[in-house]
Amino acid sequence: MTKSGLLKLTSKLVGIRSEYPNEQEIGMFLLLYLKKAGFEVLTQNISRRRFNILATKGQGKKAVMFYGHLDTVPLSKKSEWETNPFKLTKKDGKLYGLGASDMKGGIAAFLEATKNTNTYVKIFLAVDEENISEGAWKAVQKKSDFFKDVVLVISAEPNLGNGLNSLATGRTGRSLYEINFVGKPEHIIRYRNAVDAIEKLVNFGSVLYSKREKMFKSHTSVAQLRKVEGESVGMSVCGEAKAEVEVLLDHEDSVKNVLAILRSLTKEEVKVKPRKTPYLEGYKFDKFPYQEEIVGVIRKYTGRKIKLYTRKSVGDDNVLATLKIPIITWGADGGNEHKPNEYIESDSLVVLTKMYQEFLHSI
């Protein structure tokens, strides 16, 4: 690994715009890059001009797989960026650019680390992570053979302030629910004869917020009202209102049991909000292959004890976890993900790459 090569690759990736659903250009670049690096490369079409990349290098019975996503969130609040979001800019030890931390820096790290390795390794690069994980879902459903000999997945997602000595061995899930509140409209002067749908919604919200810290199996699961709608017509009491509930659910809770809990709070209709891909369930792996080797590498390069934690966010990691293959999130230090002035710390990116490289050498 060379620092200049790592930074040059990161700069190239940041310079290729890939806000979903526009991942084709970066996909083509990485397709050629992996082939030149000696990988056998397959693509999986997801939709027009969108494809996953599945790459393999070496042979063996047990593969380690690195994961990354090709897309970034859309550029927003461009006027608040202090640098060009599509040109990697170094300032005070930080590398600024859209996707630098989430997660083009991480992709560059494992591409550099695997360039000269003799270890049996695979790479999975997916589209649509910042949307509904359509790429990851189609891969696990239609390309399951690719993952059959993978014993450990390493996601290079950023560590979100937890430090280079941290590994996320679990994540929360996320699901959305819709509730329709039906009232009985009357002229406002006769409100005592009416049933106010907005009042029903407000009462439900009050109950939800008063119980949300104790109503789930896990104390880390949490719910909130994400969206509310309701309006009276003319001078009438409101006859219909709607609410959307968002739940971050720990691995001890499921979409099914959360639905039952929400239904216990109201007599109104509650249903899971439809979407194209399944909702993401939480997961947690208490142990994972090569744990001793990874602990040793982290201690050597950071001088700190390893920290295992559950990450309170969702992503393609949740989808890959449905394969029942242990997955760890092992990424660099950075900041401002999903907002202006996103950055990854230069030294952290270099150290992460060295740790990946030494880990692969150790196995």
Side-chain angles (χ1 to χ4, degrees), residues 246-266:
E246 178 179 37
V247 181
L248 283 181
L249 54 157
D250 189 69
H251 69 283
E252 295 179 17
D253 288 295
S254 66
V255 174
K256 184 178 180 179
N257 86 275
V258 169
L259 179 63
I261 290 169
L262 293 177
R263 284 174 172 170
S264 73
L265 302 181
T266 178

Side-chain angles (χ1 to χ4, degrees), residues 37 39 57-58 66 110-121 356-357 359-363:
F39 282 83
K57 190 175 188 180
F66 287 93
F110 64 67
L111 289 178
E112 276 291 305
T114 58
K115 190 161 56 176
N116 298 312
T117 186
N118 293 319
T119 303
Y120 180 32
V121 66
Y356 285 167
Q357 194 171 39
F359 162 63
L360 290 173
H361 180 72
S362 73
I363 61 172

Side-chain angles (χ1 to χ4, degrees), residues 3-175:
K3 182 177 179 180
S4 61
L6 173 64
L7 298 184
K8 182 179 179 181
L9 179 56
T10 306
S11 180
K12 178 66 177 179
L13 295 177
V14 169
I16 302 174
R17 296 187 67 157
S18 60
E19 301 110 305
Y20 77 85
N22 301 303
E23 306 99 339
Q24 183 184 34
E25 185 179 354
I26 197 169
M28 290 302 298
F29 170 80
L30 288 169
L31 185 66
L32 294 174
Y33 182 95
L34 287 163
K35 287 181 177 180
K36 288 180 180 179
F39 282 83
E40 294 182 12
V41 185
L42 299 173
T43 60
Q44 179 189 25
N45 289 330
I46 302 304
S47 58
R48 187 170 180 265
R49 297 179 180 177
R50 306 182 80 196
F51 56 88
N52 292 332
I53 296 174
L54 304 97
T56 304
K57 190 175 188 180
Q59 294 181 336
K61 294 182 179 180
K62 299 178 181 180
V64 170
M65 188 184 85
F66 287 93
Y67 155 79
H69 59 81
L70 299 172
D71 59 326
T72 70
V73 293
L75 176 66
S76 62
K77 298 183 178 180
K78 186 177 180 180
S79 63
E80 295 184 15
W81 277 86
E82 297 174 4
T83 63
N84 183 341
F86 303 109
K87 181 179 180 180
L88 194 70
T89 304
K90 188 172 183 179
K91 183 179 179 181
D92 298 326
K94 298 175 180 178
L95 304 171
Y96 289 89
L98 180 62
S101 180
D102 187 16
M103 61 174 296
K104 295 180 177 183
I107 292 174
F110 64 67
L111 289 178
E112 276 291 305
T114 58
K115 190 161 56 176
N116 298 312
T117 186
N118 293 319
T119 303
Y120 180 32
V121 66
K122 293 188 173 185
I123 289 175
F124 172 50
L125 298 170
V127 298
D128 204 57
E129 193 272 350
E130 299 291 5
N131 186 29
I132 58 172
S133 294
E134 188 173 0
W137 276 117
K138 285 197 174 180
V140 301
Q141 292 167 350
K142 304 293 185 180
K143 294 289 185 180
S144 58
D145 285 350
F146 178 78
F147 305 100
K148 279 187 176 179
D149 57 0
V150 174
V151 296
L152 176 66
V153 178
I154 298 174
S155 168
E157 288 266 29
N159 66 53
L160 300 184
N162 286 285
L164 270 177
N165 63 318
S166 69
L167 296 177
T169 57
R171 280 195 184 225
T172 55
R174 176 180 180 266
S175 50

Side-chain angles (χ1 to χ4, degrees), residues 68-358:
H69 59 81
L70 299 172
D71 59 326
T72 70
V73 293
L75 176 66
S76 62
K77 298 183 178 180
K78 186 177 180 180
S79 63
E80 295 184 15
W81 277 86
E82 297 174 4
T83 63
N84 183 341
F86 303 109
K87 181 179 180 180
L88 194 70
T89 304
K90 188 172 183 179
K91 183 179 179 181
D92 298 326
K94 298 175 180 178
L95 304 171
Y96 289 89
L98 180 62
S101 180
D102 187 16
M103 61 174 296
K104 295 180 177 183
I107 292 174
F110 64 67
L111 289 178
E112 276 291 305
T114 58
K115 190 161 56 176
N116 298 312
T117 186
N118 293 319
T119 303
Y120 180 32
V121 66
K122 293 188 173 185
I123 289 175
F124 172 50
L125 298 170
V127 298
D128 204 57
E129 193 272 350
E130 299 291 5
N131 186 29
I132 58 172
S133 294
E134 188 173 0
W137 276 117
K138 285 197 174 180
V140 301
Q141 292 167 350
K142 304 293 185 180
K143 294 289 185 180
S144 58
D145 285 350
F146 178 78
F147 305 100
K148 279 187 176 179
D149 57 0
V150 174
V151 296
L152 176 66
V153 178
I154 298 174
S155 168
E157 288 266 29
N159 66 53
L160 300 184
N162 286 285
L164 270 177
N165 63 318
S166 69
L167 296 177
T169 57
R171 280 195 184 225
T172 55
R174 176 180 180 266
S175 50
L176 300 177
Y177 306 83
E178 296 176 326
I179 307 174
N180 293 318
F181 299 90
V182 180
K184 177 185 174 184
E186 288 276 0
H187 192 285
I188 190 171
I189 199 69
R190 294 188 293 274
Y191 72 91
R192 290 185 179 86
N193 297 326
V195 177
D196 191 334
I198 291 179
E199 183 179 12
K200 281 186 170 185
L201 190 160
V202 170
N203 289 338
F204 170 81
S206 179
V207 173
L208 176 71
Y209 280 89
S210 68
K211 293 186 175 183
R212 65 177 177 174
E213 293 184 0
K214 297 180 180 179
M215 65 184 186
F216 299 115
K217 289 182 179 179
S218 171
H219 69 279
T220 58
S221 296
V222 64
Q224 69 170 0
L225 284 173
R226 182 173 183 264
K227 183 179 179 181
V228 294
E229 296 178 14
E231 183 179 6
S232 64
V233 179
M235 296 182 69
S236 301
V237 172
C238 181
E240 183 179 6
K242 298 179 180 180
E244 196 171 286
V245 177
E246 178 179 37
V247 181
L248 283 181
L249 54 157
D250 189 69
H251 69 283
E252 295 179 17
D253 288 295
S254 66
V255 174
K256 184 178 180 179
N257 86 275
V258 169
L259 179 63
I261 290 169
L262 293 177
R263 284 174 172 170
S264 73
L265 302 181
T266 178
K267 294 180 180 180
E268 307 300 315
E269 179 188 15
V270 184
K271 60 183 180 180
V272 178
K273 183 179 180 179
R275 80 172 204 167
K276 189 175 182 179
T277 58
Y279 283 108
L280 302 173
E281 301 274 6
Y283 70 88
K284 184 179 180 183
F285 293 101
D286 294 319
K287 295 181 180 180
F288 53 89
Y290 308 119
Q291 188 163 342
E292 184 177 337
E293 289 86 350
I294 291 173
V295 168
V297 169
I298 288 176
R299 185 180 293 116
K300 175 181 176 179
Y301 280 91
T302 70
R304 290 177 284 175
K305 184 179 179 181
I306 193 170
K307 178 172 66 175
L308 305 180
Y309 70 101
T310 296
R311 182 163 168 160
K312 293 179 174 59
S313 65
V314 296
D316 283 355
D317 296 16
N318 298 72
V319 181
L320 295 171
T322 65
L323 295 168
K324 306 303 180 184
I325 302 168
I327 178 168
I328 59 174
T329 305
W330 186 9
D333 299 308
N336 295 335
E337 296 86 1
H338 290 212
K339 61 182 181 180
N341 304 310
E342 179 181 352
Y343 68 89
I344 190 169
E345 294 186 12
S346 178
D347 289 346
S348 179
L349 180 60
V350 171
V351 172
L352 179 69
T353 306
K354 289 180 179 179
M355 289 196 293
Y356 285 167
Q357 194 171 39
E358 183 151 332

